[in-house]
Structure formats: C-alpha cells, structure tokens
Amino acid sequence: MKIKSIATGQQRSRDRTAARMKEAQSSSEARSTIPARFSGWRFATSAVAHSDGDIQIEGQRAMSVAESWSRVMSLLREHAPADHADLPGPATEDLIAAAEERMGIALHRDLRTWLLQNSLDLPEEDVDDDVMCCGFNGFPDEGSFFLGIRAMERLYANRSRPWGFDPPDQPDDPFWRNEWIPFLSDQDGWSGKFIDVRDGRVGSWFVGDPTVTGEYESMAQYFDFVADMLKRIAAGNNPICKVVEGRLVWS
C-alpha cells in the first residue's frame, strides 16, 4: 500500500464517487429505519452527532471519533493486515499546532483527535512533488486515500482563498469555503472529503460538480460507514473489492 496514488481517469473517478455517494445515502436511509449499529451494540434509534465529536444515542453512551476510527483500524488489521502494517502512527501536538498556524485556522477537535491516532502521510522520501496529494492508495477506496497533516496542509493551501470562499461571486453556494479542511482526496485534488470546522459535519467535493455539505453528521459517522464497508469486503459482499494476501484489491 505504500505507493503514490495512481490516476484512474476523471470519468472513472466520477463514477466511483457517484457510486460511493449512492451507497452512503442508502446506508444513511437504512440507519433511519433500522437499529443503529456501533461497536457491535444495537440501539433503538439512529445517531445524533454533536460538536464535541461524540455520537449521542438516546439513553446510551456516546461513541467518539476515536472509537469509530479504532473500529476501522481493528477491522483493517483483522482482514487486510498487510495494508494495516503499512500505515504510520500519530502526528504530534506540535506538528498539528504548527500546521494550524501556517493554515491560519484551528482544526475541528474530531480532526485533531483522528490525527493524534494516525496521520497518514507517506514517508517524505516517497512523496511525489509533481502531484497535488500523495497517500496510501486503495484505502479507503480505489484511487483515493486519507490525508496526513502534511498532505492536508498542502491541499488546503491550494483550495483556500483570501476572501474565504471560491468562486468569489458565490458566497452562499461556493465550491469551496476556507472553513472546510480536506482529509481524503485523490492524487490530483479533484475529489475528496472535508470536515467543516464550524460544526464537524463531513462533506464531499468533485471538481465540476456541486459540493455536497453535510453528507455525514460527523467524522465518527463517516468512519462507521467505512467500517461497515470493510465488513462487507471481508464477507465477499463488495463487487469491486476483495482481499488478496492481506491487502485490499480493487477491480
């Protein structure tokens, strides 16, 4: 998995993005009508996310972004151990603080918590300066990858604007806002996911298409979706991905 992202073509990337959004929508609709599932427990209602990074379940203990990410890592370690072994450890508080100062914005606590568990930057010697983003390709999807703090800062610098949004004549419905911090992307920055620092909600972008805000109520909810996807792959129920010799292989 320790490789640079490989371009799969703009139309193929668009098709994959549309398929993921459809699957996410179906998953969200299912959660509204059947018991929610978190860490192997079942509850009588769906989750409600709060700005402190927890998912509040009526009458039950909240689930944090740290717990939901740990669930993803546990499933990856169990079913794709070779991929799991490639992933680096956490960022430091000093590294995050320095990035925040250069970016000119404070990260949402969900994002900070996640980076303090795993900051998924490639080793510096493996970074290709000729592409916008580098990462561990194929996790969580073909042609896209999670961003570590260095890759995150680089893409944010490319996306942010002095006036706070882009394009400048669309303040109410922009393609990009400075309050959105990318945490997943393809190698060109054409598509990916971001967290809104104002409320912790997760959205997605694809160049040429309207930006989707509030796709997930929180990073914890998005990571729960990733965990469910890994379970489907492990069970052989994902038509475009399987595990081969401990690695996720996309077709």
Side-chain angles (χ1 to χ4, degrees):
M1 186 189 288
K2 192 178 294 184
I3 58 175
K4 298 185 291 292
S5 170
I6 300 173
T8 58
Q10 181 177 350
Q11 185 58 50
R12 188 175 182 185
S13 179
R14 187 184 299 271
D15 292 342
R16 295 294 193 201
T17 300
R20 291 196 301 271
M21 291 178 65
K22 182 177 180 180
E23 184 177 10
Q25 182 179 10
S26 298
S27 178
S28 176
E29 290 171 352
R31 280 194 294 267
S32 69
T33 57
I34 63 175
R37 183 170 64 255
F38 293 94
S39 292
W41 300 344
R42 287 192 175 273
F43 304 93
T45 183
S46 58
V48 178
H50 296 275
S51 61
D52 61 2
D54 288 345
I55 296 180
Q56 184 66 50
I57 310 297
E58 291 181 8
Q60 299 287 348
R61 182 180 69 87
M63 185 177 183
S64 69
V65 66
E67 291 171 312
S68 59
W69 177 249
S70 293
R71 181 185 175 212
V72 170
M73 288 291 94
S74 294
L75 287 165
L76 191 68
R77 181 173 58 249
E78 177 182 358
H79 300 295
D83 281 345
H84 181 272
D86 285 344
L87 301 181
T92 65
E93 288 278 8
D94 288 345
L95 187 63
I96 294 173
E100 287 178 315
E101 183 173 357
R102 289 188 295 268
M103 294 164 71
I105 192 168
L107 303 184
H108 189 274
R109 63 175 295 174
D110 279 12
L111 189 57
R112 175 182 289 271
T113 296
W114 177 57
L115 289 168
L116 289 172
Q117 289 195 303
N118 289 93
S119 180
L120 301 181
D121 279 312
L122 285 179
E124 291 190 22
E125 61 270 20
D126 292 339
V127 172
D128 185 350
D129 291 332
D130 292 331
V131 298
M132 176 55 61
C133 300
C134 290
F136 294 87
N137 188 44
F139 174 63
D141 203 346
E142 179 189 22
S144 65
F145 42 82
F146 290 115
L147 304 179
I149 185 62
R150 294 196 308 271
M152 196 177 296
E153 181 183 351
R154 176 184 170 105
L155 182 54
Y156 181 80
N158 178 265
R159 287 276 174 246
S160 62
R161 295 293 183 268
W163 48 86
F165 47 85
D166 184 43
D169 60 346
Q170 297 182 24
D172 297 327
D173 188 25
F175 171 72
W176 194 265
R177 301 192 66 90
N178 286 7
E179 294 89 351
W180 299 341
I181 311 295
F183 67 90
L184 181 147
S185 180
D186 63 2
Q187 72 165 11
D188 300 312
W190 278 89
S191 64
K193 294 191 183 298
F194 59 83
I195 181 172
D196 192 321
V197 300
R198 299 170 296 181
D199 56 19
R201 295 192 304 164
V202 170
S204 61
W205 84 90
F206 194 105
V207 172
D209 289 347
T211 299
V212 178
T213 59
E215 184 180 3
Y216 296 89
E217 287 299 312
S218 67
M219 288 186 76
Q221 189 182 74
Y222 170 64
F223 291 150
D224 188 61
F225 166 75
V226 174
D228 287 345
M229 178 189 68
L230 289 174
K231 291 176 68 175
R232 290 193 297 274
I233 292 171
N237 294 328
N238 188 306
I240 60 173
C241 187
K242 59 184 177 180
V243 178
V244 178
E245 297 182 350
R247 295 189 183 276
L248 301 176
V249 177
W250 299 86
S251 59

